[in-house]
Amino acid sequence: MKNKNAETLSVQQIQGKLEYYCAYQERCYKEVEEKLYSYKISPSEKEQILIYLIENNFINEERFAQSFVRGKHNYKFWGKNRIINELKFRNISSKIIEIALKEIPETIYLENFHALAEKNWENSTERKGQKKNKKFVDFLLRKGYETSLIYDKLNELDN
């Protein structure tokens, strides 16, 4: 039942829906562009709507990236590697990613890493050994933390 009225909506109505879509939650250009594909309008009308949304600050890649970085680190405890990869997947430029990563103070980043690592180590059902170490490392790599951080922490906890 996705957009059953898509063919009957005017460009202004679609634009209004996308204004709400962008105002409800930060969106990047790629997400809005994908949402636009569900509407049956011409490429020039899509372009017109996208330009309008950018000019009126409904789409702002830098603001989106900063919000994304804060949210994914503070609530999902993702590391920088995963955040960078996810932003690249959304076609965010390297320069904007670099700016957005400044949203995470280094002290907070390290505190969150250590807390997450210690919690994972304590909650592991594995007994000491290679299997426990591998699960620990794999978990933190999936979360996107740097290899050097992970192995330093492993050496600290495994002794």
Side-chain angles (χ1 to χ4, degrees), residues 36-72:
L36 260 175
Y37 281 118
S38 65
Y39 296 104
K40 309 269 189 287
I41 56 175
S42 72
S44 65
E45 289 170 325
K46 286 178 185 174
E47 191 176 322
Q48 173 191 333
I49 292 171
L50 286 166
I51 289 169
Y52 168 83
L53 293 171
I54 291 168
E55 285 176 348
N56 290 280
N57 216 16
F58 284 99
I59 301 173
N60 182 318
E61 299 272 273
E62 187 173 323
R63 191 178 63 213
F64 165 80
Q66 289 171 327
S67 172
F68 186 90
V69 166
R70 282 191 308 271
K72 296 304 181 192

PDB file of all heavy atoms in Angstrom, residues 36-72:
ATOM      1  N   LEU A  36      11.708  10.214  -3.042  1.00  0.00           N
ATOM      2  CA  LEU A  36      11.089  10.833  -4.227  1.00  0.00           C
ATOM      3  C   LEU A  36      10.786   9.815  -5.320  1.00  0.00           C
ATOM      4  O   LEU A  36       9.854  10.000  -6.093  1.00  0.00           O
ATOM      5  CB  LEU A  36      12.019  11.909  -4.787  1.00  0.00           C
ATOM      6  CG  LEU A  36      11.689  13.348  -4.429  1.00  0.00           C
ATOM      7  CD1 LEU A  36      12.765  14.276  -4.965  1.00  0.00           C
ATOM      8  CD2 LEU A  36      10.337  13.773  -4.905  1.00  0.00           C
ATOM      9  N   TYR A  37      11.575   8.753  -5.403  1.00  0.00           N
ATOM     10  CA  TYR A  37      11.355   7.739  -6.442  1.00  0.00           C
ATOM     11  C   TYR A  37       9.995   7.059  -6.305  1.00  0.00           C
ATOM     12  O   TYR A  37       9.471   6.523  -7.279  1.00  0.00           O
ATOM     13  CB  TYR A  37      12.473   6.690  -6.444  1.00  0.00           C
ATOM     14  CG  TYR A  37      13.721   7.164  -7.127  1.00  0.00           C
ATOM     15  CD1 TYR A  37      14.925   7.269  -6.426  1.00  0.00           C
ATOM     16  CD2 TYR A  37      13.715   7.529  -8.474  1.00  0.00           C
ATOM     17  CE1 TYR A  37      16.074   7.728  -7.051  1.00  0.00           C
ATOM     18  CE2 TYR A  37      14.868   7.994  -9.093  1.00  0.00           C
ATOM     19  CZ  TYR A  37      16.039   8.085  -8.380  1.00  0.00           C
ATOM     20  OH  TYR A  37      17.176   8.543  -8.995  1.00  0.00           O
ATOM     21  N   SER A  38       9.432   7.069  -5.099  1.00  0.00           N
ATOM     22  CA  SER A  38       8.133   6.420  -4.908  1.00  0.00           C
ATOM     23  C   SER A  38       6.988   7.246  -5.502  1.00  0.00           C
ATOM     24  O   SER A  38       5.878   6.754  -5.626  1.00  0.00           O
ATOM     25  CB  SER A  38       7.891   6.156  -3.420  1.00  0.00           C
ATOM     26  OG  SER A  38       7.800   7.366  -2.716  1.00  0.00           O
ATOM     27  N   TYR A  39       7.268   8.479  -5.880  1.00  0.00           N
ATOM     28  CA  TYR A  39       6.242   9.337  -6.492  1.00  0.00           C
ATOM     29  C   TYR A  39       6.400   9.327  -8.005  1.00  0.00           C
ATOM     30  O   TYR A  39       7.506   9.326  -8.530  1.00  0.00           O
ATOM     31  CB  TYR A  39       6.358  10.773  -5.957  1.00  0.00           C
ATOM     32  CG  TYR A  39       6.076  10.858  -4.477  1.00  0.00           C
ATOM     33  CD1 TYR A  39       7.110  10.998  -3.560  1.00  0.00           C
ATOM     34  CD2 TYR A  39       4.780  10.782  -3.991  1.00  0.00           C
ATOM     35  CE1 TYR A  39       6.856  11.061  -2.195  1.00  0.00           C
ATOM     36  CE2 TYR A  39       4.517  10.852  -2.629  1.00  0.00           C
ATOM     37  CZ  TYR A  39       5.558  10.987  -1.745  1.00  0.00           C
ATOM     38  OH  TYR A  39       5.304  11.053  -0.403  1.00  0.00           O
ATOM     39  N   LYS A  40       5.288   9.332  -8.679  1.00  0.00           N
ATOM     40  CA  LYS A  40       5.295   9.280 -10.149  1.00  0.00           C
ATOM     41  C   LYS A  40       5.359  10.700 -10.721  1.00  0.00           C
ATOM     42  O   LYS A  40       4.352  11.249 -11.128  1.00  0.00           O
ATOM     43  CB  LYS A  40       4.027   8.585 -10.661  1.00  0.00           C
ATOM     44  CG  LYS A  40       3.733   7.246 -10.015  1.00  0.00           C
ATOM     45  CD  LYS A  40       4.360   6.121 -10.781  1.00  0.00           C
ATOM     46  CE  LYS A  40       3.932   4.760 -10.304  1.00  0.00           C
ATOM     47  NZ  LYS A  40       4.485   4.342  -9.033  1.00  0.00           N
ATOM     48  N   ILE A  41       6.574  11.270 -10.689  1.00  0.00           N
ATOM     49  CA  ILE A  41       6.761  12.605 -11.259  1.00  0.00           C
ATOM     50  C   ILE A  41       7.985  12.599 -12.160  1.00  0.00           C
ATOM     51  O   ILE A  41       8.814  11.708 -12.081  1.00  0.00           O
ATOM     52  CB  ILE A  41       6.887  13.709 -10.166  1.00  0.00           C
ATOM     53  CG1 ILE A  41       8.019  13.390  -9.189  1.00  0.00           C
ATOM     54  CG2 ILE A  41       5.570  13.893  -9.427  1.00  0.00           C
ATOM     55  CD1 ILE A  41       8.293  14.458  -8.159  1.00  0.00           C
ATOM     56  N   SER A  42       8.092  13.609 -12.983  1.00  0.00           N
ATOM     57  CA  SER A  42       9.185  13.673 -13.956  1.00  0.00           C
ATOM     58  C   SER A  42      10.511  13.993 -13.264  1.00  0.00           C
ATOM     59  O   SER A  42      10.523  14.554 -12.165  1.00  0.00           O
ATOM     60  CB  SER A  42       8.886  14.753 -14.994  1.00  0.00           C
ATOM     61  OG  SER A  42       9.025  16.034 -14.401  1.00  0.00           O
ATOM     62  N   PRO A  43      11.620  13.667 -13.920  1.00  0.00           N
ATOM     63  CA  PRO A  43      12.942  14.004 -13.360  1.00  0.00           C
ATOM     64  C   PRO A  43      13.102  15.498 -13.087  1.00  0.00           C
ATOM     65  O   PRO A  43      13.711  15.884 -12.087  1.00  0.00           O
ATOM     66  CB  PRO A  43      13.914  13.527 -14.438  1.00  0.00           C
ATOM     67  CG  PRO A  43      13.181  12.447 -15.152  1.00  0.00           C
ATOM     68  CD  PRO A  43      11.732  12.857 -15.129  1.00  0.00           C
ATOM     69  N   SER A  44      12.554  16.344 -13.951  1.00  0.00           N
ATOM     70  CA  SER A  44      12.683  17.792 -13.740  1.00  0.00           C
ATOM     71  C   SER A  44      11.893  18.236 -12.509  1.00  0.00           C
ATOM     72  O   SER A  44      12.328  19.124 -11.773  1.00  0.00           O
ATOM     73  CB  SER A  44      12.245  18.576 -14.977  1.00  0.00           C
ATOM     74  OG  SER A  44      10.875  18.397 -15.221  1.00  0.00           O
ATOM     75  N   GLU A  45      10.744  17.599 -12.263  1.00  0.00           N
ATOM     76  CA  GLU A  45       9.957  17.939 -11.064  1.00  0.00           C
ATOM     77  C   GLU A  45      10.690  17.456  -9.804  1.00  0.00           C
ATOM     78  O   GLU A  45      10.699  18.155  -8.787  1.00  0.00           O
ATOM     79  CB  GLU A  45       8.564  17.303 -11.139  1.00  0.00           C
ATOM     80  CG  GLU A  45       7.671  17.963 -12.184  1.00  0.00           C
ATOM     81  CD  GLU A  45       6.385  17.191 -12.442  1.00  0.00           C
ATOM     82  OE1 GLU A  45       6.396  15.948 -12.401  1.00  0.00           O
ATOM     83  OE2 GLU A  45       5.349  17.861 -12.677  1.00  0.00           O
ATOM     84  N   LYS A  46      11.313  16.279  -9.891  1.00  0.00           N
ATOM     85  CA  LYS A  46      12.100  15.771  -8.755  1.00  0.00           C
ATOM     86  C   LYS A  46      13.243  16.733  -8.439  1.00  0.00           C
ATOM     87  O   LYS A  46      13.486  17.073  -7.282  1.00  0.00           O
ATOM     88  CB  LYS A  46      12.667  14.377  -9.072  1.00  0.00           C
ATOM     89  CG  LYS A  46      11.633  13.288  -9.039  1.00  0.00           C
ATOM     90  CD  LYS A  46      12.229  11.948  -9.412  1.00  0.00           C
ATOM     91  CE  LYS A  46      11.117  10.911  -9.487  1.00  0.00           C
ATOM     92  NZ  LYS A  46      11.557   9.624  -9.972  1.00  0.00           N
ATOM     93  N   GLU A  47      13.922  17.169  -9.492  1.00  0.00           N
ATOM     94  CA  GLU A  47      15.043  18.094  -9.325  1.00  0.00           C
ATOM     95  C   GLU A  47      14.563  19.413  -8.713  1.00  0.00           C
ATOM     96  O   GLU A  47      15.202  19.957  -7.810  1.00  0.00           O
ATOM     97  CB  GLU A  47      15.695  18.352 -10.685  1.00  0.00           C
ATOM     98  CG  GLU A  47      17.015  19.080 -10.585  1.00  0.00           C
ATOM     99  CD  GLU A  47      17.689  19.228 -11.939  1.00  0.00           C
ATOM    100  OE1 GLU A  47      17.615  18.294 -12.761  1.00  0.00           O
ATOM    101  OE2 GLU A  47      18.287  20.303 -12.149  1.00  0.00           O
ATOM    102  N   GLN A  48      13.426  19.893  -9.176  1.00  0.00           N
ATOM    103  CA  GLN A  48      12.850  21.140  -8.668  1.00  0.00           C
ATOM    104  C   GLN A  48      12.567  21.013  -7.161  1.00  0.00           C
ATOM    105  O   GLN A  48      12.888  21.917  -6.382  1.00  0.00           O
ATOM    106  CB  GLN A  48      11.550  21.431  -9.434  1.00  0.00           C
ATOM    107  CG  GLN A  48      10.737  22.602  -8.933  1.00  0.00           C
ATOM    108  CD  GLN A  48       9.339  22.633  -9.587  1.00  0.00           C
ATOM    109  OE1 GLN A  48       9.153  22.146 -10.686  1.00  0.00           O
ATOM    110  NE2 GLN A  48       8.389  23.199  -8.874  1.00  0.00           N
ATOM    111  N   ILE A  49      12.000  19.888  -6.745  1.00  0.00           N
ATOM    112  CA  ILE A  49      11.692  19.668  -5.329  1.00  0.00           C
ATOM    113  C   ILE A  49      12.978  19.574  -4.506  1.00  0.00           C
ATOM    114  O   ILE A  49      13.081  20.186  -3.433  1.00  0.00           O
ATOM    115  CB  ILE A  49      10.821  18.401  -5.147  1.00  0.00           C
ATOM    116  CG1 ILE A  49       9.428  18.641  -5.741  1.00  0.00           C
ATOM    117  CG2 ILE A  49      10.720  18.015  -3.675  1.00  0.00           C
ATOM    118  CD1 ILE A  49       8.548  17.400  -5.813  1.00  0.00           C
ATOM    119  N   LEU A  50      13.966  18.841  -5.004  1.00  0.00           N
ATOM    120  CA  LEU A  50      15.234  18.703  -4.282  1.00  0.00           C
ATOM    121  C   LEU A  50      15.930  20.057  -4.109  1.00  0.00           C
ATOM    122  O   LEU A  50      16.434  20.369  -3.022  1.00  0.00           O
ATOM    123  CB  LEU A  50      16.154  17.708  -4.987  1.00  0.00           C
ATOM    124  CG  LEU A  50      15.754  16.237  -4.838  1.00  0.00           C
ATOM    125  CD1 LEU A  50      16.506  15.367  -5.840  1.00  0.00           C
ATOM    126  CD2 LEU A  50      15.986  15.752  -3.420  1.00  0.00           C
ATOM    127  N   ILE A  51      15.927  20.856  -5.149  1.00  0.00           N
ATOM    128  CA  ILE A  51      16.537  22.198  -5.073  1.00  0.00           C
ATOM    129  C   ILE A  51      15.808  23.039  -4.029  1.00  0.00           C
ATOM    130  O   ILE A  51      16.429  23.704  -3.201  1.00  0.00           O
ATOM    131  CB  ILE A  51      16.537  22.887  -6.464  1.00  0.00           C
ATOM    132  CG1 ILE A  51      17.555  22.188  -7.382  1.00  0.00           C
ATOM    133  CG2 ILE A  51      16.850  24.379  -6.344  1.00  0.00           C
ATOM    134  CD1 ILE A  51      17.474  22.590  -8.841  1.00  0.00           C
ATOM    135  N   TYR A  52      14.476  22.989  -4.055  1.00  0.00           N
ATOM    136  CA  TYR A  52      13.673  23.736  -3.082  1.00  0.00           C
ATOM    137  C   TYR A  52      14.036  23.306  -1.650  1.00  0.00           C
ATOM    138  O   TYR A  52      14.234  24.150  -0.772  1.00  0.00           O
ATOM    139  CB  TYR A  52      12.173  23.518  -3.334  1.00  0.00           C
ATOM    140  CG  TYR A  52      11.315  24.009  -2.205  1.00  0.00           C
ATOM    141  CD1 TYR A  52      10.957  25.351  -2.108  1.00  0.00           C
ATOM    142  CD2 TYR A  52      10.888  23.143  -1.196  1.00  0.00           C
ATOM    143  CE1 TYR A  52      10.195  25.813  -1.042  1.00  0.00           C
ATOM    144  CE2 TYR A  52      10.131  23.587  -0.137  1.00  0.00           C
ATOM    145  CZ  TYR A  52       9.790  24.919  -0.060  1.00  0.00           C
ATOM    146  OH  TYR A  52       9.040  25.377   0.996  1.00  0.00           O
ATOM    147  N   LEU A  53      14.122  21.990  -1.427  1.00  0.00           N
ATOM    148  CA  LEU A  53      14.411  21.479  -0.079  1.00  0.00           C
ATOM    149  C   LEU A  53      15.805  21.888   0.404  1.00  0.00           C
ATOM    150  O   LEU A  53      15.988  22.188   1.581  1.00  0.00           O
ATOM    151  CB  LEU A  53      14.257  19.953  -0.047  1.00  0.00           C
ATOM    152  CG  LEU A  53      12.826  19.428  -0.234  1.00  0.00           C
ATOM    153  CD1 LEU A  53      12.835  17.913  -0.403  1.00  0.00           C
ATOM    154  CD2 LEU A  53      11.927  19.845   0.919  1.00  0.00           C
ATOM    155  N   ILE A  54      16.761  21.928  -0.509  1.00  0.00           N
ATOM    156  CA  ILE A  54      18.121  22.344  -0.141  1.00  0.00           C
ATOM    157  C   ILE A  54      18.163  23.844   0.131  1.00  0.00           C
ATOM    158  O   ILE A  54      18.699  24.296   1.152  1.00  0.00           O
ATOM    159  CB  ILE A  54      19.131  21.960  -1.249  1.00  0.00           C
ATOM    160  CG1 ILE A  54      19.285  20.434  -1.299  1.00  0.00           C
ATOM    161  CG2 ILE A  54      20.487  22.624  -1.000  1.00  0.00           C
ATOM    162  CD1 ILE A  54      20.012  19.921  -2.524  1.00  0.00           C
ATOM    163  N   GLU A  55      17.567  24.632  -0.765  1.00  0.00           N
ATOM    164  CA  GLU A  55      17.590  26.091  -0.617  1.00  0.00           C
ATOM    165  C   GLU A  55      16.874  26.540   0.655  1.00  0.00           C
ATOM    166  O   GLU A  55      17.220  27.563   1.231  1.00  0.00           O
ATOM    167  CB  GLU A  55      16.950  26.762  -1.837  1.00  0.00           C
ATOM    168  CG  GLU A  55      17.847  26.727  -3.061  1.00  0.00           C
ATOM    169  CD  GLU A  55      17.186  27.309  -4.303  1.00  0.00           C
ATOM    170  OE1 GLU A  55      15.954  27.540  -4.299  1.00  0.00           O
ATOM    171  OE2 GLU A  55      17.916  27.513  -5.301  1.00  0.00           O
ATOM    172  N   ASN A  56      15.856  25.795   1.075  1.00  0.00           N
ATOM    173  CA  ASN A  56      15.100  26.155   2.276  1.00  0.00           C
ATOM    174  C   ASN A  56      15.567  25.385   3.515  1.00  0.00           C
ATOM    175  O   ASN A  56      14.869  25.330   4.522  1.00  0.00           O
ATOM    176  CB  ASN A  56      13.603  25.970   2.024  1.00  0.00           C
ATOM    177  CG  ASN A  56      13.096  27.013   1.059  1.00  0.00           C
ATOM    178  OD1 ASN A  56      12.843  28.149   1.436  1.00  0.00           O
ATOM    179  ND2 ASN A  56      12.996  26.650  -0.207  1.00  0.00           N
ATOM    180  N   ASN A  57      16.749  24.805   3.402  1.00  0.00           N
ATOM    181  CA  ASN A  57      17.436  24.163   4.522  1.00  0.00           C
ATOM    182  C   ASN A  57      16.692  22.964   5.123  1.00  0.00           C
ATOM    183  O   ASN A  57      16.877  22.635   6.282  1.00  0.00           O
ATOM    184  CB  ASN A  57      17.757  25.194   5.612  1.00  0.00           C
ATOM    185  CG  ASN A  57      19.081  24.909   6.271  1.00  0.00           C
ATOM    186  OD1 ASN A  57      19.892  24.144   5.756  1.00  0.00           O
ATOM    187  ND2 ASN A  57      19.300  25.505   7.430  1.00  0.00           N
ATOM    188  N   PHE A  58      15.842  22.320   4.333  1.00  0.00           N
ATOM    189  CA  PHE A  58      15.227  21.074   4.794  1.00  0.00           C
ATOM    190  C   PHE A  58      16.244  19.941   4.674  1.00  0.00           C
ATOM    191  O   PHE A  58      16.227  19.004   5.455  1.00  0.00           O
ATOM    192  CB  PHE A  58      13.970  20.737   3.976  1.00  0.00           C
ATOM    193  CG  PHE A  58      12.789  21.584   4.345  1.00  0.00           C
ATOM    194  CD1 PHE A  58      12.449  22.688   3.584  1.00  0.00           C
ATOM    195  CD2 PHE A  58      12.019  21.284   5.461  1.00  0.00           C
ATOM    196  CE1 PHE A  58      11.360  23.469   3.927  1.00  0.00           C
ATOM    197  CE2 PHE A  58      10.931  22.071   5.816  1.00  0.00           C
ATOM    198  CZ  PHE A  58      10.596  23.166   5.045  1.00  0.00           C
ATOM    199  N   ILE A  59      17.116  20.037   3.672  1.00  0.00           N
ATOM    200  CA  ILE A  59      18.202  19.074   3.512  1.00  0.00           C
ATOM    201  C   ILE A  59      19.507  19.835   3.729  1.00  0.00           C
ATOM    202  O   ILE A  59      19.770  20.819   3.054  1.00  0.00           O
ATOM    203  CB  ILE A  59      18.225  18.460   2.091  1.00  0.00           C
ATOM    204  CG1 ILE A  59      16.918  17.745   1.771  1.00  0.00           C
ATOM    205  CG2 ILE A  59      19.407  17.496   1.962  1.00  0.00           C
ATOM    206  CD1 ILE A  59      16.835  17.265   0.318  1.00  0.00           C
ATOM    207  N   ASN A  60      20.268  19.369   4.703  1.00  0.00           N
ATOM    208  CA  ASN A  60      21.574  19.969   4.997  1.00  0.00           C
ATOM    209  C   ASN A  60      22.507  18.823   5.380  1.00  0.00           C
ATOM    210  O   ASN A  60      22.390  18.252   6.465  1.00  0.00           O
ATOM    211  CB  ASN A  60      21.427  20.977   6.141  1.00  0.00           C
ATOM    212  CG  ASN A  60      22.717  21.665   6.482  1.00  0.00           C
ATOM    213  OD1 ASN A  60      23.781  21.037   6.540  1.00  0.00           O
ATOM    214  ND2 ASN A  60      22.645  22.960   6.744  1.00  0.00           N
ATOM    215  N   GLU A  61      23.393  18.463   4.465  1.00  0.00           N
ATOM    216  CA  GLU A  61      24.255  17.296   4.648  1.00  0.00           C
ATOM    217  C   GLU A  61      25.127  17.403   5.906  1.00  0.00           C
ATOM    218  O   GLU A  61      25.303  16.424   6.615  1.00  0.00           O
ATOM    219  CB  GLU A  61      25.161  17.096   3.434  1.00  0.00           C
ATOM    220  CG  GLU A  61      24.404  16.846   2.154  1.00  0.00           C
ATOM    221  CD  GLU A  61      24.078  15.385   1.888  1.00  0.00           C
ATOM    222  OE1 GLU A  61      24.905  14.696   1.299  1.00  0.00           O
ATOM    223  OE2 GLU A  61      22.982  14.963   2.278  1.00  0.00           O
ATOM    224  N   GLU A  62      25.669  18.582   6.174  1.00  0.00           N
ATOM    225  CA  GLU A  62      26.540  18.750   7.339  1.00  0.00           C
ATOM    226  C   GLU A  62      25.749  18.551   8.631  1.00  0.00           C
ATOM    227  O   GLU A  62      26.185  17.840   9.541  1.00  0.00           O
ATOM    228  CB  GLU A  62      27.203  20.125   7.325  1.00  0.00           C
ATOM    229  CG  GLU A  62      28.250  20.286   8.407  1.00  0.00           C
ATOM    230  CD  GLU A  62      29.022  21.589   8.290  1.00  0.00           C
ATOM    231  OE1 GLU A  62      29.317  22.031   7.158  1.00  0.00           O
ATOM    232  OE2 GLU A  62      29.349  22.170   9.340  1.00  0.00           O
ATOM    233  N   ARG A  63      24.576  19.153   8.690  1.00  0.00           N
ATOM    234  CA  ARG A  63      23.723  19.023   9.876  1.00  0.00           C
ATOM    235  C   ARG A  63      23.296  17.555  10.050  1.00  0.00           C
ATOM    236  O   ARG A  63      23.302  17.021  11.157  1.00  0.00           O
ATOM    237  CB  ARG A  63      22.503  19.939   9.721  1.00  0.00           C
ATOM    238  CG  ARG A  63      21.680  20.094  10.970  1.00  0.00           C
ATOM    239  CD  ARG A  63      20.533  21.049  10.750  1.00  0.00           C
ATOM    240  NE  ARG A  63      19.625  20.524   9.726  1.00  0.00           N
ATOM    241  CZ  ARG A  63      18.933  21.263   8.871  1.00  0.00           C
ATOM    242  NH1 ARG A  63      19.035  22.574   8.890  1.00  0.00           N
ATOM    243  NH2 ARG A  63      18.127  20.710   7.985  1.00  0.00           N
ATOM    244  N   PHE A  64      22.955  16.903   8.935  1.00  0.00           N
ATOM    245  CA  PHE A  64      22.578  15.485   8.980  1.00  0.00           C
ATOM    246  C   PHE A  64      23.733  14.649   9.542  1.00  0.00           C
ATOM    247  O   PHE A  64      23.548  13.825  10.437  1.00  0.00           O
ATOM    248  CB  PHE A  64      22.199  14.965   7.588  1.00  0.00           C
ATOM    249  CG  PHE A  64      22.155  13.462   7.501  1.00  0.00           C
ATOM    250  CD1 PHE A  64      21.053  12.765   7.960  1.00  0.00           C
ATOM    251  CD2 PHE A  64      23.235  12.744   7.001  1.00  0.00           C
ATOM    252  CE1 PHE A  64      21.019  11.375   7.922  1.00  0.00           C
ATOM    253  CE2 PHE A  64      23.218  11.355   6.954  1.00  0.00           C
ATOM    254  CZ  PHE A  64      22.105  10.670   7.414  1.00  0.00           C
ATOM    255  N   ALA A  65      24.940  14.857   9.008  1.00  0.00           N
ATOM    256  CA  ALA A  65      26.103  14.068   9.414  1.00  0.00           C
ATOM    257  C   ALA A  65      26.415  14.278  10.899  1.00  0.00           C
ATOM    258  O   ALA A  65      26.723  13.316  11.613  1.00  0.00           O
ATOM    259  CB  ALA A  65      27.311  14.422   8.554  1.00  0.00           C
ATOM    260  N   GLN A  66      26.322  15.510  11.365  1.00  0.00           N
ATOM    261  CA  GLN A  66      26.602  15.795  12.775  1.00  0.00           C
ATOM    262  C   GLN A  66      25.583  15.087  13.673  1.00  0.00           C
ATOM    263  O   GLN A  66      25.946  14.478  14.685  1.00  0.00           O
ATOM    264  CB  GLN A  66      26.597  17.301  13.030  1.00  0.00           C
ATOM    265  CG  GLN A  66      27.790  17.993  12.410  1.00  0.00           C
ATOM    266  CD  GLN A  66      27.701  19.503  12.469  1.00  0.00           C
ATOM    267  OE1 GLN A  66      26.614  20.090  12.391  1.00  0.00           O
ATOM    268  NE2 GLN A  66      28.854  20.152  12.583  1.00  0.00           N
ATOM    269  N   SER A  67      24.324  15.144  13.301  1.00  0.00           N
ATOM    270  CA  SER A  67      23.273  14.485  14.065  1.00  0.00           C
ATOM    271  C   SER A  67      23.461  12.968  14.045  1.00  0.00           C
ATOM    272  O   SER A  67      23.311  12.289  15.061  1.00  0.00           O
ATOM    273  CB  SER A  67      21.919  14.861  13.471  1.00  0.00           C
ATOM    274  OG  SER A  67      20.891  14.113  14.054  1.00  0.00           O
ATOM    275  N   PHE A  68      23.808  12.436  12.885  1.00  0.00           N
ATOM    276  CA  PHE A  68      24.038  11.004  12.715  1.00  0.00           C
ATOM    277  C   PHE A  68      25.177  10.537  13.620  1.00  0.00           C
ATOM    278  O   PHE A  68      25.048   9.540  14.333  1.00  0.00           O
ATOM    279  CB  PHE A  68      24.365  10.720  11.238  1.00  0.00           C
ATOM    280  CG  PHE A  68      24.489   9.266  10.898  1.00  0.00           C
ATOM    281  CD1 PHE A  68      23.386   8.550  10.483  1.00  0.00           C
ATOM    282  CD2 PHE A  68      25.710   8.621  10.964  1.00  0.00           C
ATOM    283  CE1 PHE A  68      23.490   7.203  10.154  1.00  0.00           C
ATOM    284  CE2 PHE A  68      25.833   7.280  10.642  1.00  0.00           C
ATOM    285  CZ  PHE A  68      24.712   6.569  10.236  1.00  0.00           C
ATOM    286  N   VAL A  69      26.278  11.279  13.609  1.00  0.00           N
ATOM    287  CA  VAL A  69      27.448  10.928  14.422  1.00  0.00           C
ATOM    288  C   VAL A  69      27.079  10.917  15.902  1.00  0.00           C
ATOM    289  O   VAL A  69      27.380   9.949  16.616  1.00  0.00           O
ATOM    290  CB  VAL A  69      28.627  11.894  14.148  1.00  0.00           C
ATOM    291  CG1 VAL A  69      29.712  11.758  15.201  1.00  0.00           C
ATOM    292  CG2 VAL A  69      29.192  11.655  12.761  1.00  0.00           C
ATOM    293  N   ARG A  70      26.432  11.974  16.360  1.00  0.00           N
ATOM    294  CA  ARG A  70      26.049  12.045  17.780  1.00  0.00           C
ATOM    295  C   ARG A  70      25.133  10.880  18.153  1.00  0.00           C
ATOM    296  O   ARG A  70      25.351  10.201  19.155  1.00  0.00           O
ATOM    297  CB  ARG A  70      25.339  13.367  18.080  1.00  0.00           C
ATOM    298  CG  ARG A  70      26.244  14.560  18.225  1.00  0.00           C
ATOM    299  CD  ARG A  70      25.485  15.770  18.777  1.00  0.00           C
ATOM    300  NE  ARG A  70      24.268  16.067  18.028  1.00  0.00           N
ATOM    301  CZ  ARG A  70      24.218  16.866  16.960  1.00  0.00           C
ATOM    302  NH1 ARG A  70      25.309  17.455  16.517  1.00  0.00           N
ATOM    303  NH2 ARG A  70      23.064  17.097  16.341  1.00  0.00           N
ATOM    304  N   GLY A  71      24.124  10.651  17.351  1.00  0.00           N
ATOM    305  CA  GLY A  71      23.153   9.603  17.659  1.00  0.00           C
ATOM    306  C   GLY A  71      23.745   8.211  17.663  1.00  0.00           C
ATOM    307  O   GLY A  71      23.528   7.435  18.600  1.00  0.00           O
ATOM    308  N   LYS A  72      24.486   7.889  16.640  1.00  0.00           N
ATOM    309  CA  LYS A  72      25.034   6.531  16.532  1.00  0.00           C
ATOM    310  C   LYS A  72      26.091   6.265  17.594  1.00  0.00           C
ATOM    311  O   LYS A  72      26.222   5.146  18.068  1.00  0.00           O
ATOM    312  CB  LYS A  72      25.614   6.268  15.137  1.00  0.00           C
ATOM    313  CG  LYS A  72      24.575   6.309  14.040  1.00  0.00           C
ATOM    314  CD  LYS A  72      23.432   5.348  14.265  1.00  0.00           C
ATOM    315  CE  LYS A  72      22.429   5.416  13.138  1.00  0.00           C
ATOM    316  NZ  LYS A  72      21.189   4.725  13.422  1.00  0.00           N
TER     317      LYS A  72
END
